[in-house]
Amino acid sequence: MPIASQLNSPIREPPPLHISRHRSDTFIENNAIDRFRQITNAESNNKAAEDSTNGDDHSYDHRDINPYRRKVGEIVHDERFDVFILILIAINSALYGVATFQSIKQNPDLISDFEKVDLAILIVFTIESSMNIFYEGKRFVRDGWLMFDLIIVIISWAATEVKSLQVFRIFRAFRFLTKVQMLRNVVVALFSVVPAIAAITVLLLLILYIFSVMYTQLFKNFFEEGYTTVNYFGRLDLTLFSLFQIMCLDEWSGIAYEVGEQDYWAWLIFIIFVVMSAFVVVNLIIAVICDALQILRKAERAMLFGLSEDDAGEWEAKDNNNNEQVQTEEGRIQQRINDMHRMLDEVVASQEKMHRTIQYLSIVVNSQETKNLSSGSKVMQ
């Protein structure tokens, strides 16, 4: 085969620069994802084996149950079923709000339609609880969230018979707590710090009582003498309510100004009470709740990685302290990726130069062969 024919054969175009970079990035990402899947699959298998050994496995794939219960478990644990129940809870809650409108109350047909929809949703919730009882068996009574759902359903059925209990039907909106994981975490965190919150509440009540007695003794006759427009401190119960209003920072300055017009030094007592109650004690409660959420986060991380809570806390502290080292390692990896991109750029550029050179040579050889053919035809003539 002539050289010119070989040179004139179609030449494969080199891949564009962005395609080469995309292929390299995809290769690196795929390797990382494969490695992550191998690790997580191994951890999941180990966790499933441990749960099965300890008898704590809630997954229907590892439980020795009959096919019917297994099928029911597949349904109640399906994400689509959970989404369906969440939608019904949202619709039911919205209907209770709409039913309070005066135009709805005065329309018997709409009230009848509302009752029918409400009954249909309640039947669905009852079927869901029955399926959970059938699937979980004895384990059902040990699950607080499932028991909470069952209690809500029972109260709802009781409300259909007793009109005085109909107001409690709105409690079905609390089922959001059992279906949304983030809300469940907040509830668990709150219950875990009940003793601390109780101690802070006792401290707050003690402060309220001390200042109530003080305010009642100092400003008891201010309303009778016309110094205040409202009887804020005439009795101990009125003083407690007024101090609760001040603690909530609800127009407390107006009360302070009325009292301060008679006793100019009274502003100091108001400031001390506001700082101690509204700023210090209330923020203590917020700090305790935030600390509980942090502990819950450590517990979740411990369960995720199979560590104890102490180990998880140490691991988190090390992780926070080694942020700079992690960033340095990420910088090294990024530098290597940049070097690979630069090498790919050089390879693509050399391919383009070679492609142009081959095209030039093919043109030269073609012109030379054309001249030879034309000269040979002239000689033959």
Side-chain angles (χ1 to χ4, degrees), residues 60-241:
Y60 48 79
D61 291 334
H62 300 93
R63 295 177 60 181
D64 186 14
I65 58 179
N66 61 63
Y68 298 104
R69 290 181 64 186
R70 186 183 299 275
K71 187 62 178 179
V72 171
E74 291 176 357
I75 295 174
V76 296
H77 287 86
D78 194 294
E79 292 183 358
R80 293 169 293 183
F81 185 76
D82 288 337
V83 171
F84 172 69
I85 296 297
L86 277 174
I87 292 174
L88 290 183
I89 295 172
I91 293 174
N92 202 198
S93 303
L95 287 176
Y96 287 132
V98 173
T100 59
F101 295 163
Q102 193 65 27
S103 58
I104 303 297
K105 289 183 177 180
Q106 296 176 354
N107 193 327
D109 295 334
L110 290 177
I111 293 295
S112 177
D113 295 338
F114 168 79
E115 295 294 338
K116 292 178 182 178
V117 174
D118 181 71
L119 181 60
I121 294 176
L122 180 57
I123 292 173
V124 174
F125 290 162
T126 306
I127 294 173
E128 181 206 6
S129 294
S130 302
M131 293 173 67
N132 280 316
I133 293 173
F134 178 72
Y135 170 65
E136 295 292 342
K138 296 180 180 179
R139 302 167 66 101
F140 182 87
V141 296
R142 296 200 299 267
D143 193 321
W145 298 109
L146 295 179
M147 287 297 297
F148 181 77
D149 287 343
L150 180 61
I151 292 173
I152 294 295
V153 171
I154 294 174
I155 293 175
S156 299
W157 278 112
T160 60
E161 301 296 334
V162 183
K163 288 188 176 182
S164 60
L165 297 178
Q166 288 184 355
V167 67
F168 296 106
R169 293 185 299 180
I170 189 58
F171 283 2
R172 291 184 215 169
F174 280 128
R175 295 202 61 201
F176 276 114
L177 300 177
T178 64
K179 295 297 180 183
V180 181
Q181 184 62 38
M182 293 181 64
L183 296 178
R184 292 175 62 174
N185 292 342
V186 173
V187 173
V188 171
L190 288 175
F191 276 100
S192 65
V193 294
V194 165
I197 293 179
I200 297 173
T201 303
V202 171
L203 175 62
L204 180 60
L205 292 176
L206 182 62
I207 293 173
L208 281 172
Y209 178 73
I210 292 173
F211 277 88
S212 296
V213 174
M214 183 188 303
Y215 274 65
T216 303
Q217 291 179 350
L218 291 174
F219 313 121
K220 181 178 182 180
N221 299 322
F222 272 39
F223 177 72
E224 296 177 356
E225 297 174 0
Y227 298 135
T228 59
T229 57
V230 179
N231 189 8
Y232 295 115
F233 311 111
R235 298 194 311 268
L236 185 63
D237 57 337
L238 296 176
T239 305
L240 282 170
F241 182 79

Side-chain angles (χ1 to χ4, degrees), residues 163-356:
K163 288 188 176 182
S164 60
L165 297 178
Q166 288 184 355
V167 67
F168 296 106
R169 293 185 299 180
I170 189 58
F171 283 2
R172 291 184 215 169
F174 280 128
R175 295 202 61 201
F176 276 114
L177 300 177
T178 64
K179 295 297 180 183
V180 181
Q181 184 62 38
M182 293 181 64
L183 296 178
R184 292 175 62 174
N185 292 342
V186 173
V187 173
V188 171
L190 288 175
F191 276 100
S192 65
V193 294
V194 165
I197 293 179
I200 297 173
T201 303
V202 171
L203 175 62
L204 180 60
L205 292 176
L206 182 62
I207 293 173
L208 281 172
Y209 178 73
I210 292 173
F211 277 88
S212 296
V213 174
M214 183 188 303
Y215 274 65
T216 303
Q217 291 179 350
L218 291 174
F219 313 121
K220 181 178 182 180
N221 299 322
F222 272 39
F223 177 72
E224 296 177 356
E225 297 174 0
Y227 298 135
T228 59
T229 57
V230 179
N231 189 8
Y232 295 115
F233 311 111
R235 298 194 311 268
L236 185 63
D237 57 337
L238 296 176
T239 305
L240 282 170
F241 182 79
S242 299
L243 290 184
F244 182 80
Q245 177 183 352
I246 295 173
M247 183 185 68
C248 297
L249 304 179
D250 181 19
E251 299 181 357
W252 72 276
S253 59
I255 303 175
Y257 278 123
E258 288 186 13
V259 176
E261 289 180 356
Q262 178 64 23
D263 294 332
Y264 67 92
W265 48 265
W267 65 268
L268 180 61
I269 302 178
F270 280 91
I271 294 297
I272 293 174
F273 175 75
V274 168
V275 171
M276 291 182 63
S277 61
F279 295 155
V280 176
V281 178
V282 173
N283 282 297
L284 275 176
I285 297 175
I286 296 174
V288 168
I289 295 174
C290 292
D291 186 59
L293 292 174
Q294 184 69 16
I295 294 173
L296 183 63
R297 180 171 174 266
K298 290 181 181 179
E300 289 179 347
R301 179 169 288 184
M303 289 189 296
L304 178 63
F305 294 99
L307 304 173
S308 64
E309 293 189 11
D310 295 335
D311 293 338
E314 294 177 0
W315 184 82
E316 184 176 4
K318 292 180 181 179
D319 182 59
N320 294 330
N321 294 330
N322 295 334
N323 279 335
E324 295 182 358
Q325 297 180 2
V326 172
Q327 292 176 359
T328 304
E329 185 65 23
E330 291 178 353
R332 292 175 182 174
I333 296 175
Q334 186 63 37
Q335 183 63 34
R336 293 176 183 175
I337 294 175
N338 294 334
D339 293 340
M340 293 177 63
H341 287 165
R342 187 171 60 255
M343 294 173 62
L344 287 173
D345 293 342
E346 294 175 357
V347 171
V348 171
S350 63
Q351 288 180 351
E352 291 177 352
K353 289 181 181 180
M354 186 177 295
H355 176 67
R356 289 195 297 270

